[in-house]
Amino acid sequence: EVQLVESGGGLVQPGGSLRLSCAASGFTFSNYWMTWVRQAPGKGLEWVAIIKQDGSENYYVDSVKGRFTISRDNAKNSLYLQMNSLRAEDTAVYYCARDQASRIYLIGWFDPWGQGTLVTVSS
Amino acid sequence: EIVMTQSPATLSVSPGERATLSCRASQSVSSNLAWYQQKPGQAPRLLIYRASIRATGISARFSGSGSGTEFTLTISSLQSEDFAVYYCQQYNNWPPALTFGGGTKVEIK
């Protein structure tokens, strides 16, 4: 069974840091682009970052550039999101998701998704 | 940035009726559009990709259409499990800057 399990969320003060993890199983992790998408409480979905199979390319939404870093460890079948200089507006459930198919190019839609991990930025 | 606008924000439909959801892009995204379903407390699930192709395991009740800037998701006969929030998402540019619409909540009338 293809599965993605996020962890690492929690309560952090403004200006603080947090590292999210996403453990993948049931598929060849190293063959897929992977992404992070977040959802503020009661709001819609917002794409955050994406990373190529070998980690050689990564891209971010403007609002997190310079603060967040996406990375992966293919040997551990794991995806990460290092979040620094956190702000109240970063409060959200963070989902990791897999590109739909294993192509060298980005397909651009995502299936499956993990269950999400909640990040709360508050003093 | 390509802005995706969904309408209506809320759609009240009786079980067994047809639901039509709209998604508009601020510029052409060709057919590079996906639809997701999200139920309360759950992660989104891919329903439709490339504007009209059903994802694996998705009921034939769901159909997508459109290209360019105007897209539609149709649910032919609403079942109880279809009441949820639906999001459209585009991917049509490089470097990637994927964007989602604001969502349409389909509720029981």
Side-chain angles (χ1 to χ4, degrees):
Chain A
E1 179 194 3
V2 175
Q3 196 169 15
L4 299 169
V5 179
E6 300 94 336
S7 61
L11 175 64
V12 61
Q13 292 187 337
S17 298
L18 212 55
R19 188 195 197 206
L20 306 183
S21 299
C22 171
S25 60
F27 65 99
T28 306
F29 179 72
S30 59
N31 285 356
Y32 291 83
W33 288 76
M34 297 293 295
T35 197
W36 289 97
V37 174
R38 66 185 178 183
Q39 186 170 36
K43 302 297 184 183
L45 301 169
E46 180 185 36
W47 170 73
V48 174
I50 197 163
I51 188 166
K52 194 176 179 180
Q53 289 94 332
D54 62 358
S56 61
E57 297 180 40
N58 47 68
Y59 303 95
Y60 302 88
V61 68
D62 285 348
S63 60
V64 309
K65 283 180 183 176
R67 300 188 300 122
F68 289 13
T69 301
I70 188 172
S71 63
R72 64 194 295 163
D73 185 336
N74 288 342
K76 295 183 177 180
N77 292 333
S78 293
L79 176 72
Y80 305 102
L81 186 67
Q82 177 67 43
M83 303 185 295
N84 299 330
S85 303
L86 282 160
R87 306 167 179 167
E89 54 265 36
D90 296 319
T91 294
V93 174
Y94 284 74
Y95 296 101
C96 67
R98 189 194 73 177
D99 203 21
Q100 189 202 18
S102 59
R103 304 283 187 270
I104 192 67
Y105 54 88
L106 176 63
I107 300 294
W109 22 84
F110 305 102
D111 177 50
W113 297 53
Q115 86 290 347
T117 186
L118 176 62
V119 173
T120 304
V121 184
S122 175
S123 54
Chain B
E1 175 188 329
I2 299 176
V3 177
M4 307 301 291
T5 303
Q6 291 187 241
S7 61
T10 303
L11 185 62
S12 298
V13 184
S14 298
E17 289 188 341
R18 179 188 194 96
T20 302
L21 290 65
S22 295
C23 176
R24 174 177 294 176
S26 60
Q27 63 189 76
S28 177
V29 298
S30 187
S31 295
N32 294 316
L33 184 109
W35 290 94
Y36 298 86
Q37 177 193 66
Q38 187 180 34
K39 298 179 181 179
Q42 295 185 17
R45 179 176 68 147
L46 179 67
L47 294 178
I48 301 283
Y49 61 95
R50 215 173 293 284
S52 62
I53 303 173
R54 276 190 301 277
T56 303
I58 300 303
S59 168
R61 294 195 306 277
F62 294 91
S63 62
S65 63
S67 66
T69 62
E70 300 284 344
F71 300 89
T72 300
L73 175 69
T74 301
I75 313 171
S76 60
S77 176
L78 272 155
Q79 306 297 303
S80 57
E81 61 266 30
D82 301 335
F83 292 97
V85 180
Y86 294 83
Y87 293 96
C88 61
Q89 175 241 315
Q90 69 82 21
Y91 164 54
N92 192 52
N93 48 356
W94 195 268
L98 302 88
T99 49
F100 291 87
T104 291
K105 181 181 181 180
V106 177
E107 64 177 24
I108 300 173
K109 187 174 181 181

